[in-house]
């Protein structure tokens, strides 16, 4: 049996029959996020795109190569404890439910492993968003609730595949993960063409991946940072492969996950079993219905903004963004600021426009349309 019920917060009865809210897929400062995310979004704003294109052309004239941001990354602002409290607080305070929170950083389990050492965080599942190269693109697979005693060994195997992907190894790894009945494997935002190979090519590759490894996948993800039009195609994908859907918020800043899971189970292992049995209830909050571009802009303002409470003292954007220099050493932009590579200086000048209130106001007016949620 595969059963997914979608509930809306706007329906005041949507959560009455559930005792527990589950937050899946959100990020902490242990995630290394590509600068391409900010770059691509910034280019959707005409004045910023002009500035970035001018900088990229200048860089290419000087160096004979295109602007390379693959050597740079940024980190989300929240510590594991701050992220856990944010997600748990929404579930408990706003929805008055028992909360379960699974943080899943990119290719890192440092956040949940550190939380397990702290009092007051309860039983925290060890989870990760694993990068899986496949067929000219890559996918993100949410792996939730790894056994703590073997989690580091498992991560070493996942990292080895990401660095040197070989199909037989992928089958072996997924089989090993799925053989543990307490582990949940989710195909995160399967139809997001994050690498940019073309939407149709990416979706065909996603179907091929699901057809090849579907026996190891327990659910497909409805993603809180992807537009509803794309999430609807995931509904179709889940029907095609007879899999349930789960909610993944994909939070990177300080807005709590806008999509949650609802259940009457009390532990994460019980929730995993319910999903693996094909039963899932998803809650779409009112925030998800706000214009996606506006929500992303707000997140970028928080990502680029000053953080007095940063656990490592990385208060400014330049503290939290990093670049691998020609000598092979990765430094924060603040460390490198006086002699920053030209690629970084040109990129940063364009991104700085996002902080300009005049541009932000014009952008809000242009992209004020709410998401139309048609099932």
């Amino acid at each position: 049996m595969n059963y997914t019920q979608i509930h809306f917060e706007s329906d005041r009865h949507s959560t009455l029959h559930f005792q527990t809210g589950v937050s899946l897929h959100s990020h902490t400062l242990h995630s290394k996020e590509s600068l391409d995310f900010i770059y691509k979004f910034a280019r959707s704003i005409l004045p910023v795109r002009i500035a970035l294109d001018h900088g990229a052309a200048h860089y290419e004239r000087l160096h004979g190569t295109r602007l390379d941001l693959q050597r740079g990354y940024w980190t989300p602002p929240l510590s594991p404890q701050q992220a856990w409290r944010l997600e748990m607080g929404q579930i408990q305070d706003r929805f008055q439910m028992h909360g379960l929170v699974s943080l899943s950083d990119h290719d890192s389990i440092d956040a949940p492993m550190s939380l397990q050492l702290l009092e007051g965080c309860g039983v925290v599942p060890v989870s990760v968003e694993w990068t899986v190269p496949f067929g000219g693109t890559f996918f993100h697979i949410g792996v939730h609730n790894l056994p703590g005693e073997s989690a580091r060994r498992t991560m070493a195997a996942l990292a080895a595949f990401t660095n040197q992907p070989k199909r037989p190894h992928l089958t072996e790894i997924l089989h090993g993960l799925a053989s543990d009945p307490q582990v949940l494997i989710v195909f995160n935002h399967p139809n997001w063409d994050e690498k940019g190979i073309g939407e149709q090519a990416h979706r065909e590759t996603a179907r091929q991946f699901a057809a090849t490894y579907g026996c190891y996948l327990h659910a497909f993800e409805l993603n809180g940072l992807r537009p509803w039009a794309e999430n609807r195609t995931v509904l179709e994908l889940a029907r095609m492969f007879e899999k349930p859907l789960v909610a993944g918020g994909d939070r990177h800043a300080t807005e709590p996950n806008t999509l949650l899971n609802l259940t009457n189970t009390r532990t994460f292992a019980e929730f995993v079993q319910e999903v693996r049995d094909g039963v899932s209830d998803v809650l779409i909050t009112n925030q998800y219905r706000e214009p996606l571009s506006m929500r992303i802009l707000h997140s970028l303002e928080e990502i680029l903004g000053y953080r007095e409470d940063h656990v490592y003292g990385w208060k400014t954007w330049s503290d939290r963004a990093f670049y691998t220099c020609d000598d092979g050493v990765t430094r924060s932009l603040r460390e490198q600021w006086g002699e920053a590579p030209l690629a970084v200086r040109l990129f940063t000048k364009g991104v700085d426009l996002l902080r300009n209130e005049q541009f932000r106001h014009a952008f809000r007016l242009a992209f004020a349309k709410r998401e139309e949620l048609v099932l």
Side-chain angles (χ1 to χ4, degrees):
M1 178 181 70
N2 289 290
Y3 169 87
T4 300
Q5 181 70 38
I6 296 177
H7 309 265
F8 297 92
E9 184 186 355
S10 54
D11 175 3
R12 64 187 182 90
H13 300 293
S14 58
T15 63
L16 291 181
H17 304 294
F18 299 96
Q19 300 177 0
T20 301
V22 184
S23 169
L24 298 181
H25 189 180
S26 62
H27 296 273
T28 78
L29 54 78
H30 290 290
S31 271
K32 295 181 179 180
E33 306 286 345
S34 171
L35 289 177
D36 277 347
F37 171 79
I38 295 178
Y39 184 80
K40 290 175 181 177
F41 179 77
R43 292 190 80 258
S44 69
I45 307 173
L46 181 60
V48 182
R49 181 168 72 246
I50 293 172
L52 289 172
D53 287 348
H54 176 77
H58 178 54
Y59 182 86
E60 188 168 353
R61 285 195 301 271
L62 287 179
H63 294 273
T65 59
R66 299 182 66 181
L67 181 65
D68 179 18
L69 297 176
Q70 298 302 314
R71 292 161 64 181
Y73 66 89
W74 58 275
T75 58
L78 296 187
S79 71
Q81 190 173 29
Q82 288 171 327
W84 183 86
R85 286 177 174 171
L86 178 72
E87 297 297 333
M88 187 66 76
Q90 172 175 237
I91 296 169
Q92 292 179 337
D93 300 337
R94 177 175 168 184
F95 294 107
Q96 302 295 305
M97 291 189 289
H98 174 66
L100 298 171
V101 175
S102 182
L103 304 175
S104 51
D105 286 317
H106 289 292
D107 304 302
S108 171
I109 56 171
D110 288 344
M113 294 297 279
S114 66
L115 285 175
Q116 290 190 342
L117 302 176
L118 300 178
E119 293 185 9
C121 291
V123 179
V124 178
V126 178
S127 306
V128 65
E129 186 174 26
W130 176 31
T131 303
V132 178
F134 184 85
T137 186
F138 61 86
F139 299 115
H140 284 148
I141 303 300
V143 183
H144 299 269
N145 206 34
L146 290 168
E149 65 276 7
S150 60
R152 292 294 185 189
R153 293 195 302 274
T154 299
M155 281 305 304
L158 302 188
F161 176 84
T162 300
N163 292 329
Q164 293 186 323
K166 296 180 180 179
R167 292 284 185 92
H169 291 174
L170 181 55
T171 301
E172 180 182 343
I173 290 171
L174 287 171
H175 175 77
L177 292 171
S179 65
D180 187 330
Q182 297 193 61
V183 170
L184 180 67
I185 304 175
V186 180
F187 196 168
N188 288 353
H189 45 68
N191 284 341
W192 180 18
D193 178 24
E194 194 171 354
K195 189 171 183 179
I197 66 170
E199 184 176 294
Q200 182 175 351
H202 177 89
R203 292 186 182 183
E204 289 176 355
T205 308
R207 286 193 292 271
Q208 180 187 353
F209 183 89
T212 306
Y213 302 105
C215 60
Y216 306 121
L217 303 175
H218 303 128
F220 292 90
E221 180 196 60
L222 292 178
N223 186 278
L225 273 184
R226 303 305 301 157
W228 185 248
E230 181 181 298
N231 276 330
R232 284 190 66 191
T233 68
V234 180
L235 286 166
E236 298 167 4
L237 196 65
R239 293 191 190 104
M240 181 184 303
F241 291 99
E242 299 183 336
K243 300 289 182 181
L245 295 157
V246 294
D250 208 2
R251 178 198 49 76
H252 285 75
T254 63
E255 178 189 54
N257 277 350
T258 60
L259 301 182
L260 295 171
N261 300 279
L262 302 173
T263 181
N264 284 311
T265 62
R266 299 293 289 181
T267 70
F268 199 83
E270 291 172 342
F271 167 72
V272 169
Q273 188 58 60
E274 186 173 76
V275 176
R276 288 178 62 138
D277 287 342
V279 177
S280 177
D281 287 87
V282 170
L283 175 67
I284 297 178
T285 71
N286 292 336
Q287 278 83 352
Y288 181 80
R289 305 192 70 169
E290 293 303 311
L292 178 60
S293 296
M294 293 295 304
R295 291 176 46 227
I296 294 178
L297 179 61
H298 179 67
S299 292
L300 286 177
E301 290 173 351
E302 295 178 334
I303 290 164
L304 298 173
Y306 189 81
R307 296 289 307 186
E308 181 67 42
D309 62 344
H310 197 284
V311 67
Y312 291 157
W314 298 346
K315 298 181 180 180
T316 66
W317 153 250
S318 56
D319 290 320
R320 301 189 297 271
F322 300 85
Y323 192 84
T324 302
C325 304
D326 291 336
D327 61 5
V329 177
T330 299
R331 299 179 175 90
S332 72
L333 300 194
R334 185 177 183 86
E335 290 178 276
Q336 191 71 8
W337 201 251
E339 300 176 357
L342 179 60
V344 173
R345 296 202 307 273
L346 296 174
F347 169 74
T348 305
K349 285 181 181 178
V351 171
D352 276 345
L353 290 176
L354 289 171
R355 297 188 236 189
N356 182 292
E357 182 57 37
Q358 180 180 357
F359 289 133
R360 291 206 303 266
H361 179 67
F363 189 73
R364 290 189 179 99
L365 291 177
F367 294 91
K369 185 178 179 181
R370 288 167 59 90
E371 287 286 322
E372 293 295 330
L373 306 186
V374 179
L375 295 177

